[in-house]
Amino acid sequence: MAAPPANPKLEKLCSMDAQLRLLAPRKVSEDDKLVEYDALLLDRFLDILQSLHGEEIRETAQELYEHAAEYGRTRDPQKLEELGNMLTSLDAGDSIVVAKSFSHMLNLSNLAEEVQIAHRRRIKKLKRGDFADESSAITESDIEETLRRLVVDLKKSPEEVFDALKNQTVDLVFTAHPTQSVRRSLLQKHGRIRDCLTQLYAKDITPDDKHELDEALQREIQAAFRTDEIRRTPPTPQDEMRAGMSYFHETIWKGVPKFLRRVDTALKNIGIHERVPYNAPIIQFSSWMGGDRDGNPRVTPEVTRDVCLLARMMAANLYFSQIEDLMFELSMWRCSDELRARADELHRYSKRDAKHYIEFWKQIPPNEPYRVILADVRDKLYNTRERSRQLLANGVSDAPEEATFTNVDQFLEPLELCYRSLCACGDGPIADGSLLDFMRQVSTFGLSLVRLDIRQESDRHTDVMDAITIHLGIGSYREWPEERRQEWLLSELRGKRPLFGPDLPKTDEIADVLDTFHVISELPSDSFGAYIISMATAPSDVLVVELLQRECRIKKPLRVVPLFEKLADLEASPAAVARLFSIDWYRNRIDGKQEVMIGYSDSGKDAGRLSAAWQLYKVQEELVKVAKQFGVKLTMFHGRGGTVGRGGGPTHLAILSQPPDTIHGSLRVTVQGEVIEQSFGEEHLCFRTLQRYTAATLEHGMHPPISPKPEWRALLDEMAVVATQEYRSIVFKEPRFVEYFRLATPELEYGRMNIGSRPSKRKPSGGIESLRAIPWIFAWTQTRFHLPVWLGFGDAFKHVTEKDIRNLHMLKEMYNMWPFFRVTIDLLEMVFAKGDPRIAALYDKLLVSEDLQPFGGSLRTNYEETKRLLLEVAGHKDLLEGDPYLRQRLRLRDANITTLNVLQAYTLRRIRDPDYHVTVRPHLCREIMESNKPAAELVKLNPTSEYAPGLEDTLILTMKGIAAGMQNTG
């Protein structure tokens, strides 16, 4: 190849890599390849951009990047305006291409980071050396290290550890919360980009391999860029469920047995020469997708029926696809007498060939007894799958129920028989191969893949009861006091008579609630998990559901779980649960086990992050005390979101900072929206997630965190009162706050992203109270101001330190010694590191009316003051000085996010103010097919927009890009 001509244009084109390298701090450690990965992906993408849309658009992208990087260095607001002028001069098609490009570059940065984290983990495994980062000792739970630490450092006996481990349960509950803003079509392409990048840097790669991988990498980057990022229609609940379940066949299905093998190895290393029993419930999976009807009218009884049958069909299909491999493997002829007798009996009955199978379709000879047994399992799986498929498609099935598996014990029995027989004949090592993996899958996933929780608002149950009591002529249930409600419900629960007949007058809402109970009674009981009541406040809320389950003839009633969310409900929950436990009928019904769910996002929206976190901590302690008093084992179900404002944060830290005795070997936690992809999107991520939850739960039970000193509690109590007052005085009491919020953020435009099937408000009118927690957090994350997370902290810090300077010393002691407080402060520090008040100021300048500008200004002063006090408490000079990796990652992506923020702010201005004047320069993008109108294709993708051409798509692309850059939507 000839040397490239020395022209200034080309030099300019090479400068983005150089910029990247300049921006990045020095290598953080020997094995730091992040800048390299990032530069490679960016380089490939810019070449693709140039080949598709021409040199001018590439140059524009680079100029914008340089301007944003310059702003990053100087923090000069003037630079943001210059950037704004460059962006508003783009025509509709160009502006979509630019938004798409910067959004794409942020997705590529995320992929580079994931590959870098996986790379450093591999290096660490080889070196077993020092390792400080978000994946280090305080946030990482490696199962081997945890077991070793418990035995060596904390002097627990290996038997004690084994006993605790095999009896603990972590139940991960997948919810379709509308925070996954990336389409599945793109997620799959991202996965392939990750794979190519990982392989490109492998040690033993040949030049030809390298060339082919590089080509594949470019192909996938281009395919992702050419896919429409915007969902043009909202997903249905069935779509959400299919998307959630896709993680099972992609990573979780194989990931669970692989993880349990690692646990076996870790046990061996501490001297336990037994495997984890295949039926130990270490990891369980549940789902809300298609069961969560709270505020989502699209989740109907029919949807619930569909998703249950779909999940059963998927499970049978996954087992069926594996059973022939197992038949190949178990070709032995030696077996126990017990197995021989069963095989002979089956052999007598199976005379015909089965032509619809690919392998083993002829009758299996009697000298392969294991295959005879497994062939019968295969037939039943085939029928189980077909029955679900037919029920789903036509509502009826001609597959007889006796030819299928109807419960998991029938399925496990022949597998256990094979296992026992192999061990008895000296073939234990063979039994512990694929057969053990298969049995572990059966005992983890059952016949239903996941158990579906049902969630409904307590008010909807009250409506049903009210209709019933009015119909019976005994008054209005809704108006009865709690005592009367309980008395009546208990007399009905103790009695035998039916409560209502088919003549009960029903509104659509009432029919919907009752039909849901009927669906539960028709489907197999192992399809369901818990019945969760949101906005629960009193014992009658729980008793109503017990009564309705009995009325609708549910053979195995679901466990009923009250969910406490608002601050006042959380405070009152220990007393409500104590009243519930003091009812004899109820105590007999629950058999010593109760689950209670606590909500993180609504409590945060209601009172601010500090007060909510502290209240959740205290409530858990109180609830555990109440349960002990009544001899009940309590399981806490944590409804955590992905963002800090909704209770998110690193898993390991979150678990280890819970109060002592509150997990006790059983943890249930929601995995929401975009967190599902971050936790299970790839094999190594799935492995890491299962490991984190298992190890942290074990460690919390065997080595609980310290209890806070009384003086720490008193100080936090005082701070929480001040923080809540400050938060509410602004968010709920400031008369113009709602107006300011709607002007200064893209909250009103959020609904256009079509992220979820659920409306963004509980009630269409109404202010902040009725707004869902997700759009509330989403809007503030977009403008980099994160108000719900920090508001109130500053005043609380100031109040206690001005009152007595020794309190500052105490806060520092709490930060250094108490995991809960440290996690709360560290997460806040991370949010400040992602924030930028100057960018929020740009939104204000462009979008907020003049008389409200000073209000925004005072909030930004509060932000800076809070940040200063936070650093003082943490003893840091700069944000994130203790986490160089995260600092580096945020700096690398900052210029891209800034560009999208500026584009978003100006686009919102043009959408909201049609008279806003911009001077558009000539069109830049050239298309491959020069004949048609350039880039107009992109504008045509949204023909029905009510705004000027291109504005709506540009806006949505900036929202998605910023969400990818902040690694949080809501």
Side-chain angles (χ1 to χ4, degrees):
M1 238 166 70
N7 77 15
K9 254 190 180 172
L10 258 174
E11 272 172 36
K12 187 146 185 133
L13 291 186
C14 302
S15 67
M16 208 149 165
D17 285 3
Q19 282 277 352
L20 253 182
R21 292 174 207 283
L22 271 177
L23 280 175
R26 292 189 323 281
K27 277 199 170 195
V28 182
S29 63
E30 284 305 295
D31 49 27
D32 176 10
K33 282 196 160 44
L34 182 57
V35 179
E36 232 171 291
Y37 293 156
D38 224 359
L40 173 77
L41 292 179
L42 211 70
D43 202 34
R44 294 294 178 268
F45 169 64
L46 290 170
D47 290 344
I48 290 165
L49 181 66
Q50 185 171 336
S51 72
L52 293 174
H53 294 292
E55 206 173 306
E56 285 189 34
I57 203 88
R58 175 177 176 152
E59 277 179 36
T60 305
Q62 303 215 222
E63 264 175 59
L64 291 166
Y65 184 91
E66 279 163 28
H67 254 79
E70 184 60 29
Y71 162 75
R73 279 192 290 276
T74 59
R75 296 289 172 199
D76 173 6
Q78 190 54 41
K79 291 280 170 228
L80 293 179
E81 293 202 13
E82 288 168 18
L83 198 56
N85 294 334
M86 289 166 70
L87 286 162
T88 45
S89 69
L90 300 172
D91 77 358
D94 288 341
S95 140
I96 292 176
V97 171
V98 165
K100 205 170 158 51
S101 301
F102 277 87
S103 175
H104 195 55
M105 289 193 279
L106 283 162
N107 280 317
L108 292 175
S109 288
N110 286 347
L111 298 174
E113 275 180 25
E114 284 168 29
V115 174
Q116 160 69 4
I117 288 173
H119 168 72
R120 281 216 331 280
R121 288 177 58 77
R122 281 195 301 278
I123 300 279
K124 175 203 171 193
K125 285 273 181 242
L126 296 172
K127 286 206 301 228
R128 276 275 175 227
D130 178 43
F131 192 63
D133 153 50
E134 64 151 15
S135 319
S136 73
I138 57 158
T139 64
E140 191 50 273
S141 290
D142 180 318
I143 192 82
E144 292 170 68
E145 282 170 21
T146 302
L147 296 190
R148 195 195 55 76
R149 198 162 57 240
L150 289 171
V151 173
V152 177
D153 304 347
L154 302 167
K155 304 290 178 260
K156 307 281 179 193
S157 76
E159 292 68 31
E160 235 181 308
V161 174
F162 182 43
D163 201 49
L165 180 65
K166 66 183 183 201
N167 289 308
Q168 78 173 32
T169 299
V170 173
D171 186 356
L172 301 176
V173 185
F174 283 29
T175 71
H177 279 61
T179 57
Q180 172 51 284
S181 70
V182 185
R183 293 181 55 204
R184 262 174 80 193
S185 317
L186 280 168
L187 290 173
Q188 288 176 345
K189 293 177 176 66
H190 291 169
R192 292 197 287 270
I193 294 170
R194 256 189 321 237
D195 293 345
C196 292
L197 188 58
T198 307
Q199 290 169 33
L200 262 175
Y201 283 88
K203 286 236 175 349
D204 47 1
I205 180 171
T206 68
D208 287 353
D209 288 341
K210 196 162 192 156
H211 174 73
E212 285 158 21
L213 277 167
D214 201 6
E215 275 186 346
L217 180 70
Q218 292 176 51
R219 185 165 46 246
E220 293 301 339
I221 292 175
Q222 183 161 340
F225 183 60
R226 296 292 258 194
T227 301
D228 187 8
E229 271 184 72
I230 299 174
R231 282 199 185 96
R232 299 292 168 183
T233 51
T236 64
Q238 288 97 319
D239 291 331
E240 291 177 326
M241 180 268 183
R242 283 175 160 90
M245 295 306 104
S246 68
Y247 291 96
F248 284 84
H249 56 86
E250 278 158 24
T251 63
I252 299 172
W253 189 258
K254 296 226 163 73
V256 166
K258 189 174 152 193
F259 165 67
L260 291 170
R261 285 204 172 271
R262 179 58 51 87
V263 177
D264 290 341
T265 308
L267 285 165
K268 207 176 209 161
N269 293 341
I270 57 164
I272 295 282
H273 293 288
E274 253 183 275
R275 293 178 181 277
V276 174
Y278 74 86
N279 54 0
I282 291 186
I283 292 279
Q284 306 276 293
F285 292 94
S286 304
S287 165
W288 279 18
M289 300 176 185
D292 177 11
R293 35 212 5 99
D294 175 18
N296 189 349
R298 297 187 182 97
V299 178
T300 60
E302 186 191 359
V303 165
T304 298
R305 183 177 178 277
D306 281 0
V307 300
C308 284
L309 288 169
L310 191 60
R312 294 184 90 77
M313 183 177 88
M314 289 164 107
N317 197 34
L318 283 162
Y319 292 123
F320 183 76
S321 64
Q322 259 171 259
I323 191 87
E324 286 181 347
D325 294 343
L326 201 56
M327 290 168 79
F328 266 113
E329 197 165 313
L330 299 187
S331 51
M332 300 81 219
W333 54 269
R334 284 185 187 79
C335 67
S336 63
D337 296 343
E338 179 190 22
L339 188 127
R340 169 83 57 213
R342 173 81 59 89
D344 288 347
E345 184 189 346
L346 285 171
H347 193 262
R348 276 203 300 282
Y349 287 114
S350 63
K351 284 283 177 268
R352 58 199 177 77
D353 291 345
K355 293 181 182 174
H356 57 290
Y357 292 136
I358 295 170
E359 305 287 355
F360 303 110
W361 60 279
K362 288 202 176 83
Q363 192 188 11
I364 292 168
N367 66 342
E368 293 179 347
Y370 294 102
R371 288 179 171 172
V372 174
I373 303 275
L374 292 175
D376 182 55
V377 172
R378 175 178 66 171
D379 292 345
K380 288 207 169 108
L381 283 172
Y382 181 82
N383 291 329
T384 305
R385 180 183 70 182
E386 287 308 291
R387 186 177 162 81
S388 292
R389 192 174 63 78
Q390 290 166 4
L391 285 170
L392 193 57
N394 318 316
V396 289
S397 166
D398 52 15
E401 203 169 4
E402 53 281 5
T404 66
F405 288 124
T406 51
N407 67 52
V408 79
D409 295 337
Q410 298 170 334
F411 188 2
L412 276 169
E413 193 273 336
L415 302 173
E416 288 169 336
L417 176 62
C418 293
Y419 190 88
R420 281 197 305 275
S421 168
L422 285 165
C423 292
C425 299
D427 286 330
I430 297 171
D432 283 334
S434 307
L435 177 61
L436 177 64
D437 287 347
F438 194 73
M439 288 162 74
R440 282 173 162 171
Q441 284 167 324
V442 176
S443 103
T444 304
F445 303 110
L447 293 169
S448 58
L449 194 59
V450 291
R451 284 176 177 266
L452 185 73
D453 281 0
I454 303 291
R455 177 168 79 142
Q456 181 61 279
E457 215 176 329
S458 57
D459 251 12
R460 298 287 299 274
H461 303 136
T462 306
D463 291 343
V464 175
M465 283 300 142
D466 199 51
I468 291 170
T469 55
I470 288 170
H471 182 61
L472 294 173
I474 54 174
S476 163
Y477 178 87
R478 183 176 278 293
E479 280 159 25
W480 291 351
E482 174 64 17
E483 269 38 65
R484 169 119 194 244
R485 287 181 179 191
Q486 280 185 40
E487 195 182 320
W488 180 72
L489 290 166
L490 285 166
S491 74
E492 288 299 330
L493 281 162
R494 291 190 180 109
K496 288 276 184 283
R497 61 167 193 178
L499 193 53
F500 57 89
D503 59 339
L504 176 73
K506 304 184 189 90
T507 61
D508 288 351
E509 279 80 13
I510 289 172
D512 188 80
V513 173
L514 292 173
D515 290 348
T516 301
F517 281 101
H518 286 129
V519 165
I520 299 171
S521 73
E522 286 157 23
L523 289 165
S525 60
D526 64 354
S527 289
F528 297 101
Y531 193 113
I532 292 156
I533 312 166
S534 54
M535 301 295 169
T537 50
S540 62
D541 290 333
V542 173
L543 296 175
V544 166
V545 177
E546 294 286 4
L547 183 58
L548 287 171
Q549 293 200 79
R550 196 198 70 187
E551 278 305 308
C552 299
R553 300 191 179 72
I554 294 173
K555 292 183 268 311
K556 271 195 175 163
L558 277 55
R559 59 182 192 278
V560 183
V561 177
L563 158 57
F564 302 104
E565 298 183 87
K566 291 247 159 57
L567 202 64
D569 295 344
L570 281 167
E571 282 167 6
S573 63
V577 171
R579 291 209 304 280
L580 188 60
F581 288 163
S582 52
I583 298 169
D584 297 340
W585 178 91
Y586 186 73
R587 246 191 1 273
N588 296 334
R589 151 83 177 94
I590 58 172
D591 189 27
K593 290 202 259 313
Q594 174 71 44
E595 186 178 311
V596 170
M597 181 168 183
I598 50 177
Y600 286 66
S601 39
D602 278 344
S603 53
K605 191 183 99 191
D606 185 35
R609 177 83 180 114
L610 178 68
S611 314
W614 178 226
Q615 193 57 50
L616 286 159
Y617 187 95
K618 292 195 296 188
V619 161
Q620 289 185 66
E621 293 181 314
E622 292 297 315
L623 286 168
V624 167
K625 267 190 209 138
V626 168
K628 273 196 181 134
Q629 221 173 308
F630 287 95
V632 173
K633 180 174 177 2
L634 189 69
T635 294
M636 297 304 304
F637 180 7
H638 300 266
R640 297 172 66 216
T643 46
V644 176
R646 297 183 47 247
T651 303
H652 182 82
L653 287 180
I655 295 174
L656 288 183
S657 61
Q658 297 302 325
D661 279 344
T662 52
I663 293 181
H664 220 66
S666 70
L667 173 72
R668 250 194 135 207
V669 62
T670 54
V671 185
Q672 299 185 2
E674 85 271 30
V675 184
I676 300 179
E677 170 65 20
Q678 290 157 13
S679 307
F680 295 101
E682 221 194 327
E683 271 177 42
H684 83 93
L685 296 174
C686 169
F687 185 84
R688 190 170 84 190
T689 302
L690 298 178
Q691 175 155 270
R692 278 179 174 170
Y693 277 108
T694 304
T697 302
L698 181 69
E699 186 171 340
H700 188 281
M702 298 200 77
H703 179 54
I706 61 164
S707 271
K709 297 178 181 175
E711 59 268 31
W712 295 354
R713 284 178 180 279
L715 190 62
L716 251 191
D717 280 338
E718 197 175 330
M719 285 171 69
V721 171
V722 176
T724 301
Q725 268 171 357
E726 166 69 8
Y727 178 87
R728 287 183 174 163
S729 74
I730 288 179
V731 173
F732 295 108
K733 300 202 177 106
E734 171 59 53
R736 303 196 58 187
F737 177 77
V738 175
E739 186 190 349
Y740 172 76
F741 166 58
R742 301 233 147 108
L743 289 171
T745 71
E747 182 261 324
L748 290 169
E749 290 79 6
Y750 162 81
R752 301 179 176 276
M753 282 180 68
N754 283 330
I755 294 186
S757 67
R758 185 172 86 173
S760 61
K761 294 184 93 166
R762 289 175 194 270
K763 298 184 181 69
S765 60
I768 302 293
E769 294 83 0
S770 71
L771 186 68
R772 286 272 182 185
I774 291 168
W776 164 242
I777 299 284
F778 176 88
W780 291 111
T781 307
Q782 288 281 310
T783 62
R784 312 272 291 278
F785 199 47
H786 306 284
L787 175 114
V789 184
W790 57 263
L791 185 61
F793 264 96
D795 280 79
F797 284 146
K798 208 154 77 188
H799 170 83
V800 294
T801 50
E802 281 175 4
K803 184 173 150 190
D804 185 342
I805 193 63
R806 282 173 305 188
N807 284 338
L808 180 61
H809 179 71
M810 198 193 301
L811 286 168
K812 289 182 170 181
E813 176 186 64
M814 287 156 70
Y815 177 76
N816 289 318
M817 292 173 66
W818 183 20
F820 164 77
F821 191 68
R822 183 173 195 118
V823 166
T824 307
I825 298 293
D826 284 352
L827 287 175
L828 187 59
E829 189 177 348
M830 179 193 79
V831 167
F832 274 122
K834 289 181 173 183
D836 185 348
R838 293 176 195 80
I839 285 188
L842 177 72
Y843 281 79
D844 273 19
K845 186 173 170 185
L846 290 168
L847 304 168
V848 173
S849 52
E850 216 158 289
D851 52 331
L852 276 172
Q853 299 259 358
F855 179 62
S858 68
L859 287 176
R860 287 191 292 282
T861 308
N862 189 336
Y863 174 102
E864 294 292 359
E865 176 73 349
T866 304
K867 183 167 88 174
R868 186 183 64 73
L869 291 161
L870 169 94
L871 287 171
E872 198 172 352
V873 170
H876 295 165
K877 282 196 185 59
D878 293 312
L879 289 172
L880 294 184
E881 68 178 37
D883 193 344
Y885 284 104
L886 186 56
R887 263 176 82 165
Q888 177 198 43
R889 288 176 3 212
L890 293 178
R891 276 178 67 176
L892 282 176
R893 56 187 46 212
D894 204 35
N896 289 329
I897 304 177
T898 299
T899 307
L900 288 171
N901 274 127
V902 174
L903 181 54
Q904 183 179 84
Y906 279 91
T907 305
L908 283 168
R909 174 67 191 261
R910 292 169 70 181
I911 282 176
R912 294 178 189 176
D913 175 5
D915 303 330
Y916 182 66
H917 179 68
V918 295
T919 314
V920 176
R921 66 195 216 186
H923 182 77
L924 302 172
C925 260
R926 71 167 176 74
E927 289 293 310
I928 299 300
M929 302 164 286
E930 292 289 359
S931 57
N932 65 12
K933 296 247 185 318
E937 299 294 300
L938 288 164
V939 182
K940 279 193 209 141
L941 282 173
N942 190 353
T944 54
S945 176
E946 70 231 54
Y947 307 134
L951 288 183
E952 185 172 355
D953 278 16
T954 300
L955 177 67
I956 296 171
L957 288 164
T958 61
M959 286 185 185
K960 283 177 173 276
I962 294 166
M966 306 300 279
Q967 290 184 318
N968 300 104
T969 25

